[in-house]
């Protein structure tokens, strides 16, 4: 007897007639990729920087002796992020003009305290006691005061090499008659009245100079501030030729190789059993090396001792005309040096360059670099580097550099021929197996960078990269 199924009866599933794909996969070989890593970037700086062999782990940059005493501005020495005033440059102060006791000047220079300031920061307040002199190493500072009718009026705008508060070194009752506000980020050095008085009390030569100081003798320099080489030209007959020699810096900058290291650990069971189709040790090592190279490029840009952003000469740092990066800004960077090899900018900064150029109806050309098309301006490629920082205010920097020892440019430093060298300047050293059967490998790379002459590197600072509406 058959029973008709009603409309609400569940449909009968079809009977399986072949092996399912889910079961079949248990017998199949899976095709897989090598381990992937999102951190890997193009690392253009490492690829384009000429690398110089650095035996002994130290590279010394010898330069001609430079001084600019008598030009009215104070010069400084940069050692990474640390800034020091050149002792003889204190002779630019009216109070110390003509004072030549270098030992005392050195003591005064050592008493100067570095201060890094931010844009918008108030450095001194009108009406408060003035307790020292401020020497501006880098940055722009505006001075304002209250005008005749109670409104705020501008007094002056100071920049690199200027100073304010000089009278406060001797006058204990001096008050600031203006407010000093930072227009850009920068660095200044402060010599307090108390420190100056302490040095004066122990230096009879300074005491006598303060009572009656003379003018500084004339010094001869070329237009770059280097000690002039005596020459004669256009003479006839048996004219007496001047004697000359090329003087050098007595305390040249030395760059020691920095190091990036890590210990790679792999369990022996993994290394023994799970090596098909990829060798586990090789893949672990490959990704570790990639991470070290990424860190190396970051340090070459940002390290406070040798990084390019911190070691760019203050006179080679410029500000944008209006905030966003314009063709005029890039031209200003290029005109300050010969033989520029490439720009280096954050990818978001490169996008901002494209927007500003397009806004003006200008379209940068492209050029082939290592088989890859990259944007260029005036024949100089613009290369991306995500390690250049972006501030909270959405500003960044653009670097431009001349490279190579022969061109007195920027160079990378490394030492090859290391024990157990895996790549040039990078070694992988087996450290043994511990009691947990874990193999350890010490992965090490040594590196640094050097700027041979100040104009080899230029920086466009405070570049606005946010989209304008």
């Amino acid at each position: 007897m058959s029973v008709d199924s009603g409309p609400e009866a569940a449909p009968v599933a079809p009977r399986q007639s072949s092996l399912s794909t889910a079961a079949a996969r248990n017998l199949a070989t899976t095709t897989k990729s090598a381990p992937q890593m999102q951190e890997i970037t193009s690392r253009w700086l490492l690829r384009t920087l000429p690398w110089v062999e650095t035996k002994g782990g130290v590279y010394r940059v010898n330069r001609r002796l430079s001084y600019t005493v008598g030009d009215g501005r104070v010069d400084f020495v940069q050692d990474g992020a640390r800034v020091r005033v050149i002792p003889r440059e204190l002779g630019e102060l009216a109070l110390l003009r003509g004072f030549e006791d270098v030992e005392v000047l050195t003591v005064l220079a050592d008493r100067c305290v570095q201060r890094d300031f931010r844009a918008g920061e108030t450095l001194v307040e009108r009406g408060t006691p003035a307790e020292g002199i401020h020497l501006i190493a880098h940055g722009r500072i505006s001075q304002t005061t209250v005008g005749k009718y109670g409104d705020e009026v501008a007094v002056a705008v100071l920049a690199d090499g200027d100073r304010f508060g000089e009278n406060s070194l001797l006058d204990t009752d001096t008050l600031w008659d203006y407010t000093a506000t930072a227009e850009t980020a920068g660095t200044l050095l402060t010599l307090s009245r108390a420190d100056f008085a302490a040095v004066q009390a122990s230096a009879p030569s300074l005491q006598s100079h303060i009572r009656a100081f003379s003018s500084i003798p004339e010094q001869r320099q070329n237009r770059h501030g280097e000690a002039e080489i005596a020459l004669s030209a256009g003479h006839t007959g048996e004219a007496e030729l001047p004697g000359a020699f090329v003087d050098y810096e007595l305390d040249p900058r030395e760059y020691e190789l920095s190091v990036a290291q890590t210990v790679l650990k792999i369990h022996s069971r993994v290394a023994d059993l799970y090596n098909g189709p990829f060798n586990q040790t090789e893949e672990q090592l490959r990704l570790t090396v990639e991470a070290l190279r990424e860190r190396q490029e970051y340090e070459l840009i940002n390290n406070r001792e040798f990084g390019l952003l911190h070691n760019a000469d203050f006179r080679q740092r410029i500000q944008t005309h209006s905030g966003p990066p314009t063709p005029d800004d890039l031209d200003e960077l290029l005109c300050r040096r010969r033989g520029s090899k490439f720009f280096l900018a954050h990818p978001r900064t490169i996008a901002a360059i494209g927007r500003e150029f397009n806004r003006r109806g200008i379209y940068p050309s492209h050029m082939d670099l290592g088989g890859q098309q990259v944007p260029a301006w005036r024949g100089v490629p613009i290369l991306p580097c995500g390690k250049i920082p972006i501030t909270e205010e959405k500003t960044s920097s653009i670097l431009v550099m001349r490279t190579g020892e022969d061109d007195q440019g920027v160079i990378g430093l490394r030492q090859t021929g290391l024990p157990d060298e895996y790549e040039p300047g990078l070694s992988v050293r087996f450290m043994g197996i511990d009691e947990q059967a874990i193999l350890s490998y010490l992965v090490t790379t040594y590196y640094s960078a050097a700027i041979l002459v100040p104009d080899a590197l230029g920086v466009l600072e405070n570049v606005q990269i946010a989209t304008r509406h």
Side-chain angles (χ1 to χ4, degrees):
M1 180 177 180
S2 63
V3 179
D4 294 334
S5 59
E8 297 182 356
V12 178
R15 184 176 179 181
Q16 181 176 336
S17 59
S18 65
L19 182 67
S20 68
T21 57
R25 286 184 57 187
N26 292 327
L27 299 181
T29 299
T30 301
T31 302
K32 32 188 145 337
S33 72
Q36 306 298 302
M37 185 175 177
Q38 189 173 346
E39 186 183 7
I40 298 175
T41 64
S42 56
R43 297 199 294 267
W44 278 107
L45 180 60
L46 297 187
R47 293 163 57 184
T48 55
L49 207 59
W51 292 94
V52 174
E53 189 69 18
T54 308
K55 295 299 183 184
V58 177
Y59 187 92
R60 178 180 298 156
V61 179
N62 290 308
R63 294 176 179 169
R64 280 181 62 184
L65 177 64
S66 298
Y67 60 88
T68 52
V69 174
D71 68 345
R73 307 182 75 82
V74 180
D75 288 340
F76 303 83
V77 174
Q78 296 171 251
D79 188 358
R82 184 182 173 217
V83 179
R84 295 176 287 115
V85 62
I86 299 174
R88 282 190 60 86
E89 286 291 309
L90 293 175
E92 300 294 351
L93 309 181
L95 181 62
L96 297 175
R97 190 165 296 133
F99 182 64
E100 297 187 353
D101 191 333
V102 179
E103 292 185 3
V104 177
L105 291 175
T106 301
V107 174
L108 289 172
D110 291 339
R111 295 278 188 134
C112 294
V113 179
Q114 180 175 340
R115 175 182 177 184
D116 298 322
F117 53 84
R118 305 181 305 274
E121 184 176 346
T122 299
L123 303 177
V124 301
E125 190 76 38
R126 178 177 178 270
T128 59
E131 299 179 346
I133 183 174
H134 302 288
L135 312 175
I136 305 173
H138 179 57
R140 190 167 64 244
I141 297 173
S142 63
Q143 294 177 335
T144 59
T145 188
V146 177
K148 181 177 180 180
Y149 301 102
D151 54 338
E152 187 178 89
V153 295
V155 175
V157 176
L158 307 179
D160 301 14
D162 290 326
R163 67 270 187 187
F164 58 96
E166 188 171 348
N167 294 337
S168 65
L169 290 178
L170 295 180
D171 190 351
T172 58
D173 298 325
T174 300
L175 299 177
W176 294 113
D177 55 5
Y178 49 79
T179 296
T181 305
E183 293 188 355
T184 66
T187 301
L188 58 78
L189 300 182
T190 300
L191 176 62
S192 68
R193 181 169 58 244
D195 284 337
F196 184 83
V199 176
Q200 179 184 348
S202 60
S205 60
L206 181 57
Q207 296 172 18
S208 60
H209 174 81
I210 290 176
R211 289 191 294 266
F213 55 88
S214 59
S215 61
I216 194 168
E218 181 182 359
Q219 304 278 4
R220 298 183 64 84
Q221 312 104 33
N222 63 19
R223 63 189 180 90
H224 300 290
E226 298 172 328
E228 185 179 67
I229 301 176
L231 302 172
S232 178
H235 54 274
T236 58
E238 298 179 353
E240 183 177 349
L241 299 180
F245 68 94
V246 180
D247 206 356
Y248 302 128
E249 289 184 351
L250 297 179
D251 188 19
R253 173 79 183 274
E254 291 186 346
Y255 294 86
E256 293 187 12
L257 292 184
S258 183
V259 60
Q261 290 179 308
T262 188
V263 177
L264 173 63
K265 296 186 176 183
I266 305 173
H267 199 285
S268 59
R269 181 184 299 176
V270 172
D272 293 341
L273 302 180
Y274 302 99
N275 280 324
F278 296 102
N279 186 295
Q280 293 284 357
T281 302
E282 290 182 358
E283 293 302 321
Q284 288 279 303
L285 184 57
R286 177 179 64 85
L287 297 181
T288 301
V289 170
E290 293 283 0
L292 275 181
R293 292 303 191 194
E294 293 292 332
R295 182 67 183 188
Q296 177 182 353
E297 187 174 64
Y298 175 87
E299 294 292 319
L300 290 176
I301 294 290
N302 298 286
N303 188 281
R304 295 182 65 84
E305 298 299 323
F306 59 85
L308 300 182
L309 281 178
H310 291 288
N311 282 268
D313 190 88
F314 288 144
R315 290 167 294 185
Q316 299 298 327
R317 304 185 190 191
I318 62 175
Q319 305 295 320
T320 60
H321 288 81
S322 57
T326 65
D328 293 338
D329 294 324
L330 299 189
D331 285 343
E332 180 74 11
L333 270 181
L334 290 177
C335 75
R336 288 172 173 255
R337 65 201 38 80
R338 58 179 172 81
S340 296
K341 294 297 184 182
F342 57 86
F343 293 99
L344 205 63
H346 193 281
R348 293 180 60 184
T349 306
I350 296 178
I353 291 174
R355 287 196 303 270
E356 291 304 313
F357 278 43
N358 293 343
R359 191 189 303 273
R360 291 164 171 77
I362 300 174
Y363 302 95
S365 61
H366 285 70
M367 60 186 302
D368 182 87
L369 199 63
Q372 184 173 343
Q373 291 292 314
V374 297
W377 178 246
R378 309 291 189 193
V380 179
I382 305 174
L383 305 179
C385 179
K387 281 78 172 181
I388 299 176
I390 295 177
T391 67
E392 294 180 358
E393 294 79 16
K394 296 298 182 290
T395 62
S396 188
S397 300
I398 299 175
L399 288 74
V400 65
M401 64 190 77
R402 182 177 66 248
T403 60
E405 275 190 312
D406 293 340
D407 275 342
Q408 302 181 100
V410 180
I411 57 174
L413 305 176
R414 71 182 180 191
Q415 184 176 137
T416 59
L418 301 172
D420 302 314
E421 191 167 58
Y422 182 80
E423 291 181 355
L426 185 146
S427 66
V428 179
R429 191 170 299 179
F430 179 62
M431 299 174 62
I433 306 176
D434 65 13
E435 295 179 352
Q436 284 76 40
I438 296 178
L439 295 83
S440 297
Y441 297 87
L442 177 64
V443 187
T444 305
T445 182
Y446 299 98
Y447 57 89
S448 188
I451 304 169
L452 299 187
V453 295
D455 75 343
L457 174 67
V459 181
L460 181 66
E461 298 182 317
N462 299 313
V463 179
Q464 184 69 45
I465 64 174
T467 304
R468 293 192 297 178
H469 297 287

